[in-house]
Amino acid sequence: MDLLGGLSRDELSTYSWVAAAAFALVAGIWRPARLHWTALGSVLLFAALNAGAGIYVLNHSMTPAGPGESRRSAHRRFPGRR
């Protein structure tokens, strides 16, 4: 199941910034006395989301199949790749 299939690379980047900023805002309002932990949590969330987006992009950009092709037909076209 491909949940992120409809998103572009720019949207993935934007959503990671928005998620980290929303987390910082909500946690900062909820616990204003612990802003240093909120900042650290936001940075770690941003890093995790960017790592996940990077892995997703790398896994989906390395397939030899073009748009509308299955991987099997791409293997017939490029017999040395597996």
Side-chain angles (χ1 to χ4, degrees):
M1 184 154 90
D2 194 10
L3 296 175
L4 302 175
L7 297 176
S8 70
R9 291 179 187 178
D10 293 331
E11 289 173 332
L12 284 173
S13 173
T14 303
Y15 288 148
S16 63
W17 279 103
V18 169
F23 174 79
L25 182 67
V26 169
I29 290 171
W30 183 46
R31 298 272 192 187
R34 299 176 184 222
L35 287 178
H36 59 287
W37 292 117
T38 300
L40 178 64
S42 296
V43 168
L44 292 176
L45 175 66
F46 179 73
L49 290 173
N50 274 325
I55 291 169
Y56 174 80
V57 167
L58 287 176
N59 281 338
H60 287 79
S61 67
M62 297 302 226
T63 59
E69 278 187 285
S70 69
R71 289 185 182 194
R72 186 170 299 240
S73 65
H75 285 300
R76 276 186 256 141
R77 214 175 42 171
F78 302 109
R81 288 187 164 176
R82 295 257 172 200

